[in-house]
Amino acid sequence: MTDVAALAGVSVSTVSLAYSGAGPLTEATREKVMTAAAELGYAGPSPEARALRSGRTGIVGVVVHERLVRSFRDPLQLRILDAITEDLGAMGMGVLLVPSPATADDRPLLAGAAMDAAIVLRVRDHDEPALEILRRRGIPMVAMEAPEGAVGAHVTIDDATATLALVRRLVDLGHERIATVTVPMTDRAQTRLVSPEDLPDPMWTPARHRLDAFAAAGIAPCAIVEAEASMVEAGIQAGRLLLAHPSRPTAVACQSDLLAGGVIVAAREAGLEVPRDLSVTGFDGLDLPWLAPLTLTTQAQDGAVKGHAIAGAVRNLLAGEEPGEIRVALELREGTTVAAPRD
């Protein structure tokens, strides 16, 4: 930096400003610095030195539980991650994707990776290994969808109230045999029929809240299928199981739009018409044009708003503030996939 400053005829601090963009600098001065740097083959300040000086790495860890091949096929997850990286990038910070450890005693990447803060994209219970590791390290963290009291800063939605509105919509139409397809409730979930006695306890909060909404509506699901992933393929498998179930459901409340889309595909395979023969609801508010002419009746959440809220919580944490719980609004979106039962 000293050599660049001498060649450009400026101070070392001016060279630093030219690279950081942190202060007022004319374009002519910036260009003079960059020309001198290019002539000397100088690539810029050392990130390691900058980190030592500031005490910050400029990195936020994003803890992911699912394989990325699944996460990156989920439009909602992509919108959330896109908004997070956009906002953190504007703050001069990068993102490190970190796999979630199986236990807190492992020596995973999360235990040693340099980061200023962490975002945990899913917290199943208070004993989540990622939380324990981050607490040991003293890393500030923000969670998306966490059990009450598990993480101080978390961004959430009102799963129970939103699902209750969907179930009541079906009940008001006259449906009595309502089945449900849940998102995965364990890390090694397989698409399968489950009974209430089989449900893990504790289990991932959104799945539990969305199932509890049935009791609040005064009705029990006639059949429950746990999906191995929130994917269309898993929804197709779930739909086939439900359509063969002896309870003969007239409606299916799905815990994601991708699962709902798969159930509709299974219904079409069986020669059934939605909603005349089977009503289907989703959750998330995704754009699924391949379902045309149908549009899902669903609870819509804005992934971008959620991602911006998470990034904002990170910013507040790094500023020494405690953002607490942040709730993102949901909107009941009426589509064309529900109707009164035929029988």
Side-chain angles (χ1 to χ4, degrees):
M1 289 179 73
T2 301
D3 292 342
V4 171
L7 183 58
V10 298
S11 67
V12 173
S13 62
T14 298
V15 175
S16 179
L17 287 175
Y19 279 95
S20 70
L25 209 63
T26 67
E27 191 56 40
T29 301
R30 189 184 307 277
E31 182 62 30
K32 186 189 300 183
V33 171
M34 294 305 174
T35 299
E39 185 175 334
L40 293 173
Y42 176 65
S46 162
E48 292 83 1
R50 182 182 295 160
L52 286 171
R53 185 172 64 252
S54 67
R56 293 281 177 89
T57 66
I59 297 295
V60 175
V62 176
V63 182
V64 293
H65 292 72
E66 292 186 330
R67 295 186 59 186
L68 294 184
V69 70
R70 288 181 173 174
S71 293
F72 285 175
R73 289 177 61 195
D74 184 337
L76 179 64
Q77 287 274 38
L78 283 177
R79 289 176 188 171
I80 293 170
L81 286 170
D82 184 66
I84 289 172
T85 55
E86 177 187 0
D87 286 4
L88 293 181
M91 294 161 54
M93 307 192 77
V95 167
L96 174 67
L97 295 177
V98 186
S100 178
T103 72
D105 294 324
D106 289 346
R107 295 299 300 170
L109 177 62
L110 188 62
M115 62 184 74
D116 299 323
I119 297 167
V120 185
L121 289 183
R122 189 191 72 207
V123 178
R124 181 171 284 118
D125 56 57
H126 290 75
D127 298 325
E128 182 79 30
L131 302 186
E132 177 60 26
I133 292 170
L134 292 168
R135 288 190 189 108
R136 287 179 192 168
R137 295 186 60 190
I139 302 289
M141 62 181 129
V142 178
M144 183 179 77
E145 313 298 349
E148 185 176 353
V151 182
H154 68 285
V155 177
T156 188
I157 56 176
D158 192 344
D159 295 274
T161 301
T163 302
L164 176 59
L166 290 169
V167 174
R168 279 180 173 162
R169 178 81 177 92
L170 294 171
V171 171
D172 290 345
L173 285 169
H175 291 278
E176 297 178 352
R177 301 191 305 276
I178 305 173
T180 188
V181 182
T182 78
V183 292
M185 293 182 280
T186 64
D187 286 327
R188 294 182 179 146
Q190 294 183 342
T191 302
R192 64 191 180 106
L193 283 160
V194 296
S195 65
E197 296 75 25
D198 295 330
L199 298 177
D201 190 24
M203 77 178 188
W204 187 20
T205 307
R208 170 65 74 187
H209 285 175
R210 296 177 196 184
L211 281 173
D212 288 347
F214 279 84
I219 187 172
C222 65
I224 302 172
V225 172
E226 176 189 15
E228 63 179 309
S230 181
M231 304 293 293
V232 174
E233 300 94 311
I236 294 173
Q237 295 175 33
R240 290 169 180 164
L241 289 172
L242 291 175
L243 293 176
H245 196 267
S247 64
R248 296 176 56 247
T250 61
V252 182
C254 300
Q255 291 191 0
S256 83
D257 287 346
L258 294 178
L259 291 172
V263 169
I264 292 173
V265 171
R268 288 173 173 173
E269 287 179 348
L272 301 179
E273 184 179 329
V274 175
R276 187 189 66 171
D277 303 310
L278 183 72
S279 289
V280 180
T281 64
F283 202 107
D284 289 334
L286 302 182
D287 182 20
L288 303 177
W290 49 271
L291 284 180
L294 294 175
T295 56
L296 271 175
T297 294
T298 185
Q299 284 284 1
Q301 56 175 317
D302 191 321
V305 169
K306 208 168 190 178
H308 292 315
I310 292 169
V314 170
R315 181 180 57 248
N316 292 341
L317 280 175
L318 293 177
E321 302 171 12
E322 181 54 65
E325 180 184 276
I326 302 168
R327 290 216 166 197
V328 175
L330 292 160
E331 176 189 2
L332 178 60
R333 185 178 296 169
E334 287 285 356
T336 58
T337 56
V338 298
R342 294 181 65 186
D343 56 355

